[in-house]
């Protein structure tokens, strides 16, 4: 998978908060919690943020957050975009992809919760289209980061995935596995995001349950990681 070998890898700050260091600009903060910390600790790193979260229905809907006031979580949305400084976009995951989008030149950001259903619905491409339409962000100038998620090493799927996701479904030691990250990166590339501007955390949630929550490894009662992106006020 051809993505950036970047200094923007995840770095732990303190008390279980992790940040994409130096990505993509000092004006934007993007990070997440591990299983040892609460979302409030993530929000505390940004001065007086207003939190906007997505309902997360495993679909392809993108909501534009246009003010510092509004209903949260936003019904029916799996991705959010905004250009309002101080509005922190939030999603929760436990194997699905947290995908961060940033256009520092225009002060626009996005955040998506993408599992296999979201990828089938074209959610990453829909976020790119929403940012182009709403903020005039050229796809080639967009920066994208992918947070901790279940990787092909651990994501075993059924035969029906082969027809839907083709080359991203492979046999590994007698197990049929699906590469969520590869599918997301290919979708982003097809809609004009430059490969060198896509950063992958390279963290598998199912491999690292000591630090990350994994629904596949631990079951539906497990907790959730909180991801956040915000234009600093």
């Amino acid at each position: 998978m051809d993505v950036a070998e970047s200094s923007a890898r995840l770095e732990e700050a303190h008390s279980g908060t992790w940040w994409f260091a130096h990505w993509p600009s000092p004006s934007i903060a993007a990070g997440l919690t591990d299983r040892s910390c609460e979302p409030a600790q993530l929000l505390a790193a940004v001065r007086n943020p207003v939190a906007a979260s997505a309902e997360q229905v495993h679909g392809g809907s993108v909501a534009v957050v246009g003010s510092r006031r509004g209903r949260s979580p936003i019904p029916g949305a799996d991705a959010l975009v905004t250009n309002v400084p101080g509005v922190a976009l939030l999603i929760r995951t436990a194997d699905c992809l947290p995908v961060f989008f940033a256009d520092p030149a225009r002060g626009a950001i996005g955040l998506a919760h993408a599992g296999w259903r979201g990828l089938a619905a074209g959610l990453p491409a829909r976020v790119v289209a929403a940012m182009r339409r709403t903020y005039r962000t050229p796809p080639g100038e967009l920066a994208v980061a992918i947070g901790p998620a279940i990787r092909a090493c651990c994501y075993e799927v059924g035969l029906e995935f082969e027809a839907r996701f083709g080359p991203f479904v492979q046999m590994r030691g007698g197990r049929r596995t699906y590469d969520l990250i590869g599918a997301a990166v290919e979708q982003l590339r097809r809609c004009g995001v430059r490969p060198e501007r896509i950063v992958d955390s390279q963290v598998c949630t199912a491999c690292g349950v000591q630090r990350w929550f994994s629904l596949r490894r631990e079951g539906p009662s497990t907790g959730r990681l909180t991801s956040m992106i915000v234009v600093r006020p």
Side-chain angles (χ1 to χ4, degrees), residues 74-180:
I74 297 174
D78 275 275
L80 306 173
V81 298
T82 192
N83 66 346
V84 182
V87 171
L89 306 181
L90 303 177
I91 62 164
R92 300 169 72 242
T93 61
D95 283 342
C96 290
L97 304 181
V99 188
F100 302 78
F101 299 79
D103 175 3
R106 295 160 189 82
I109 54 174
L111 185 59
H113 156 262
W116 72 262
R117 293 179 181 86
L119 290 176
L123 184 59
R126 287 171 180 259
V127 176
V128 174
M131 295 187 71
R132 180 175 55 196
R133 179 177 62 252
T134 308
Y135 311 119
R136 301 186 182 277
T137 298
E141 295 183 19
L142 196 59
V144 178
I146 299 171
I150 194 168
R151 306 272 152 166
C153 54
C154 295
Y155 191 17
E156 189 170 352
V157 297
L159 180 61
E160 67 278 6
F161 273 66
E162 290 187 2
R164 190 185 292 266
F165 297 107
F168 301 105
V169 178
Q170 297 183 350
M171 297 300 296
R172 294 169 176 256
R175 300 180 304 123
R176 184 177 291 103
T177 64
Y178 174 39
D179 181 6
L180 281 168

Side-chain angles (χ1 to χ4, degrees), residues 11-48:
E11 294 183 2
E12 187 173 17
H14 56 81
S15 303
T17 62
W18 295 75
W19 302 90
F20 282 101
H22 315 299
W23 178 91
S25 157
S27 65
I28 294 172
L32 70 153
T33 63
D34 65 20
R35 68 190 303 145
S36 71
C37 104
E38 296 296 322
Q41 294 173 252
L42 199 66
L43 291 166
V46 182
R47 181 169 54 87
N48 299 321

